[in-house]
């Protein structure tokens, strides 16, 4: 188990002090169980610094990305209080290695959601939905990694920004969205890119987090996954996402 904690310290230090590291599993020797164990140990170090658990993020939620990575399932990471960025405020670029942004839809739960649930059961646990932006930031040099490495690195999750919350009873299966940087549209897409319906991402989150012994809790946020390819960001920029029916969310770099 010592290598688990060694890799956890390596990745936690890289995230905490914003410096890149070399890949350590280029020959894919790590199992996915080992990778998630590294992620859990790395996030436990954040808890020791006073961060609290606030939810889950889903990754590789587009069919094309899953095929590209040779996956039969999505991946997931953990969200902490230290990762939340208040909407409309600024992030310090120096806190990141080489950050990118993705437009997403976020859920907040009003009750626990655990195990193998149906779409209607998942929806019944949702308090509200909101437009969101995830800041992803692989700690690996040149943003290159194997599947176990990206899982170990908390699925590249570094920050999240959430807009105004809305009634989840609206149809959010196929909401058009546009991501802009300094007013220039850089990505256009739809929430339907998330496994065909974002609710399927929440169903997967309930199953995977329960299997890890950390079932989804009331008040937790679930980031459903990137609805378009990610875009690099630079200091001085303003990033925003406009989502049909749900409005706008943005932040300054």
């Amino acid at each position: 188990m010592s290598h688990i904690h060694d890799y956890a310290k390596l990745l936690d230090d890289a995230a905490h002090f914003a410096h890149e590291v070399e890949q350590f599993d280029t020959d894919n020797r790590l199992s996915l169980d080992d990778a998630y164990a590294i992620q859990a140990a790395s996030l436990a170090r954040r808890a020791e610094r006073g961060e609290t658990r606030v939810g889950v993020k889903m990754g590789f939620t587009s069919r094309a990305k899953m095929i590209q990575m040779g996956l039969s399932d999505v991946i997931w990471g953990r969200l902490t209080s230290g990762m939340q960025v208040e909407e409309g405020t600024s992030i310090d670029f120096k806190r990141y290695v080489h950050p990118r942004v993705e437009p997403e839809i976020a859920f907040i739960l009003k009750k626990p959601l655990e195990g193998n649930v149906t779409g209607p059961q998942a929806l019944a646990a949702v308090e509200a939905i909101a437009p969101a932006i995830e800041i992803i930031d692989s700690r690996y040099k040149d943003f290159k990694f194997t599947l176990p490495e990206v899982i170990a690195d908390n699925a590249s999750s570094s920050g999240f920004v959430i807009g105004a919350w809305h009634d989840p009873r609206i149809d959010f299966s196929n909401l058009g969205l546009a991501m802009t940087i300094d007013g220039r549209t850089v990505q256009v897409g739809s929430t339907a890119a998330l496994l065909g319906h974002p609710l399927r991402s929440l169903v997967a989150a309930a199953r995977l987090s329960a299997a890890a012994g950390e079932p989804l809790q009331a008040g937790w946020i679930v980031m459903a996954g990137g609805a378009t390819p990610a875009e690099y960001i630079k200091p001085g920029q303003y990033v925003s996402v406009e989502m049909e029916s749900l409005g706008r969310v943005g932040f300054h770099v």
Side-chain angles (χ1 to χ4, degrees):
M1 286 295 288
S2 66
H3 71 287
I4 298 289
H5 293 286
D6 289 344
Y7 291 145
K9 182 180 187 305
L10 177 78
L11 291 171
D12 177 58
D13 284 348
H16 189 48
F17 299 110
H19 64 77
E20 62 185 18
V21 296
E22 298 286 346
Q23 290 181 255
F24 52 77
D25 189 45
T26 52
D27 50 3
N28 266 299
R29 284 180 303 164
L30 275 180
S31 69
L32 297 193
D33 285 344
D34 280 346
Y36 279 113
I38 294 166
Q39 182 191 124
S42 177
L43 270 288
R45 293 170 61 88
R46 300 190 194 187
E48 289 168 6
R49 293 195 293 270
E51 295 183 32
T52 55
R53 181 71 179 277
V54 297
V56 163
K57 63 105 5 147
M58 305 305 291
F60 296 162
T61 47
S62 78
R63 295 295 184 194
K65 192 70 175 177
M66 286 171 71
I67 292 167
Q68 177 191 337
M69 297 299 290
L71 287 172
S72 58
D73 205 352
V74 294
I75 66 171
W76 65 285
R78 294 159 169 90
L79 300 179
T80 72
S81 55
M83 297 164 66
Q84 187 153 11
V85 176
E86 188 177 347
E87 202 275 335
T89 63
S90 297
I91 64 165
D92 182 356
F93 190 81
K94 291 184 219 160
R95 287 187 55 205
Y96 304 88
V97 182
H98 30 215
R100 301 184 189 185
V101 287
E102 294 178 339
E104 305 208 6
I105 189 168
F107 301 97
I108 190 165
L109 302 181
K110 61 185 174 184
K111 61 184 182 181
L113 187 63
E114 179 176 353
N116 294 314
V117 298
T118 64
Q121 287 170 330
L123 185 59
V126 175
E127 175 75 27
I129 57 175
I133 300 169
E134 184 177 14
I135 304 166
I136 62 170
D137 185 25
S138 172
R139 268 57 70 161
Y140 300 107
K141 187 177 179 182
D142 300 328
F143 227 109
K144 290 182 179 173
F145 43 73
T146 63
L147 178 60
E149 285 172 334
V150 68
I151 290 170
D153 190 28
N154 200 30
S156 296
S157 192
S158 292
F160 61 96
V161 191
I162 295 176
W165 294 103
H166 295 265
D167 191 323
R169 290 174 294 183
I170 69 170
D171 181 5
F172 55 88
S173 62
N174 186 21
L175 300 179
L177 59 91
M179 183 165 68
T180 63
I181 295 179
D182 291 338
R184 180 177 64 89
T185 301
V186 292
Q187 292 288 346
V188 174
S190 161
T191 57
L194 306 172
L195 302 176
H197 194 306
L199 206 52
R200 292 184 183 132
S201 185
L202 181 58
V203 166
R207 171 173 54 82
L208 293 169
S209 59
E214 301 174 14
L216 302 178
Q217 300 298 309
W220 275 17
I221 291 162
V222 176
M223 298 283 285
T228 73
E231 291 282 338
Y232 278 109
I233 53 175
K234 297 185 292 192
Q237 292 180 327
Y238 177 72
V239 181
S240 68
V241 168
E242 179 85 32
M243 191 173 289
E244 182 185 353
S245 302
L246 300 186
R248 184 184 295 267
V249 55
F251 69 96
H252 299 271
V253 184

